[in-house]
Amino acid sequence: MKAGQTQTLLKVEVQGPQEALEEGLPLLVESWGGAWILTEDPLEAVFFLKDPEEVARFGEEASRLGFSLRRVDQCQVEDWSQKFRESFRPLRVGRSLWIVPPWARGKTGPGEIEIVIDPGQAFGTGQHPSTALILEALEEHFQEGLWPTVLDVGTGSGILALAAAKLGARRVVGLDVDPVAVEEARRNAALNGLELTFSTEPLKKHLGKYHLVLANISAWDLKILAQELAEHLLPGGRLLLSGFLAQEIPEMLETYLPLRFKLLKVREREEWGFLALIWGKG
Ligand SMILES: C[S@@+](CC[C@H](N)C(=O)[O-])C[C@H]1O[C@@H](n2cnc3c(N)ncnc32)[C@H](O)[C@@H]1O
């Protein structure tokens, strides 16, 4: 797709039973990328697919999981990534982190950390408050001590994983359900001269426990993944969460505090929420 052009996608609306919210829908999202939930009962959701062949394969999997296809419409999606590239300027986050595009690299001063991100289709350029909230908390954590191992769930462009590695983590792993994001995260790691592990492996299949786990994903995903996120932390490890709305903070606390987490920090920026939690105390 060239600059300024639009892309045609197929917008597929599905309906299923309310129980599918926690069972079938996560499986569909895992195979076909993010969904917009229109209503929860009955469950109605929208997926965006490339072509009729994908819609046919999607339809088979969806019907096995109890969904029916309600309608398929063509829609035009703007090539926002090109527009975004043009507007991407170096951005300082926290005290020392600079998020810079490849064409503006090499200008940071002493004590500053440069994270090179080539803006593409994956989410994560530091401009979104949810990303900035986790980046700032990461920086604070590394100012206080060393966090040798870090897991970034929903890595997108890899921005949080790259920041963790540059701040001093020795082993960093980034997971994302979206293969395009994983590809971009690997490319961004190479641009930063870092070799990190990025994978589409689902969290529940990923083995390993970490000192720090980061997740900037929706409230809906964070509720479903709560137990699995806890299982990937070492005792005393920290979980840094964002991607939910500030008004959803009470819901997040109701989900996480009964799982042996202790609350460390709550923050809000614009309409977005952030939580830092300690695992294994409570
Ligand atoms: C809001 S973006 C965050 C990107 C980046 N970590 C940041 O902070 O800017 C969320 C990312 O999570 C991915 N994602 C959503 N649900 C997921 C899940 N259950 N497991 C892994 N990745 C997921 C999406 O594909 C998307 O790339």
Side-chain angles (χ1 to χ4, degrees):
M1 188 159 58
K2 288 197 187 125
Q5 284 186 340
T6 57
Q7 182 185 17
T8 304
L9 289 178
L10 295 170
K11 183 175 161 215
V12 182
E13 208 174 303
V14 291
Q15 185 172 36
Q18 204 253 341
E19 311 81 70
L21 185 64
E22 295 202 355
E23 291 160 17
L25 193 63
L27 294 174
L28 278 184
V29 168
E30 204 167 305
S31 316
W32 300 97
W36 287 353
I37 298 175
L38 302 177
T39 64
E40 290 195 0
D41 192 12
L43 177 56
E44 291 176 1
V46 170
F47 286 79
F48 291 90
L49 303 176
K50 274 197 218 100
D51 53 38
E53 198 193 311
E54 268 201 2
V55 175
R57 285 191 285 121
F58 170 85
E60 279 169 25
E61 189 179 340
S63 73
R64 273 202 307 279
L65 294 168
F67 288 91
S68 53
L69 257 60
R70 288 241 313 234
R71 52 186 291 175
V72 178
D73 294 309
Q74 276 201 348
C75 67
Q76 300 288 318
V77 179
E78 237 185 306
D79 180 7
W80 60 268
S81 65
Q82 185 58 35
K83 286 195 169 176
F84 194 64
R85 278 178 79 82
E86 287 158 11
S87 67
F88 190 23
R89 307 259 186 283
L91 172 74
R92 193 168 91 168
V93 182
R95 287 195 198 157
S96 64
L97 302 174
W98 278 93
I99 316 300
V100 301
W103 52 91
R105 65 189 306 167
K107 297 189 183 128
T108 42
E112 294 178 330
I113 295 176
E114 180 183 74
I115 299 159
V116 182
I117 296 287
D118 191 6
Q121 289 177 50
F123 187 106
T125 55
Q127 300 188 359
H128 195 273
S130 61
T131 312
L133 282 161
I134 298 194
L135 283 172
E136 288 168 15
L138 253 184
E139 185 188 43
E140 289 164 11
H141 271 74
F142 279 91
Q143 275 161 1
E144 283 164 18
L146 185 60
W147 302 87
T149 59
V150 179
L151 175 65
D152 176 21
V153 180
T155 198
S157 66
I159 185 168
L160 303 179
L162 297 172
K166 290 217 166 173
L167 283 162
R170 285 201 296 271
R171 178 164 184 264
V172 182
V173 174
L175 303 178
D176 203 294
V177 285
D178 180 358
V180 174
V182 165
E183 238 173 71
E184 290 193 13
R186 287 187 185 135
R187 225 182 38 242
N188 284 324
L191 284 172
N192 286 275
L194 293 169
E195 274 187 36
L196 310 184
T197 304
F198 291 107
S199 161
T200 53
E201 182 180 38
L203 180 61
K204 63 172 174 278
K205 294 212 178 129
H206 179 72
L207 296 177
K209 291 192 186 279
Y210 295 81
H211 295 90
L212 263 185
V213 174
L214 322 172
N216 177 10
I217 48 181
S218 68
W220 183 68
D221 283 306
L222 287 174
K223 279 204 262 176
I224 291 177
L225 295 179
Q227 184 63 42
E228 288 168 25
L229 289 168
E231 284 165 10
H232 284 82
L233 276 160
L234 289 162
R238 307 277 172 93
L239 181 60
L240 308 183
L241 299 178
S242 193
F244 48 89
L245 297 173
Q247 68 195 38
E248 293 169 321
I249 289 173
E251 233 175 284
M252 289 292 107
L253 292 175
E254 271 168 36
T255 305
Y256 281 83
L257 294 188
L259 298 179
R260 290 182 63 223
F261 279 104
K262 188 181 155 210
L263 181 60
L264 184 66
K265 272 181 197 134
V266 185
R267 285 182 182 153
E268 293 181 21
R269 180 155 315 154
E270 296 171 27
E271 72 268 42
W272 298 92
F274 164 85
L275 292 178
L277 300 159
I278 310 181
W279 164 242
K281 314 232 168 126

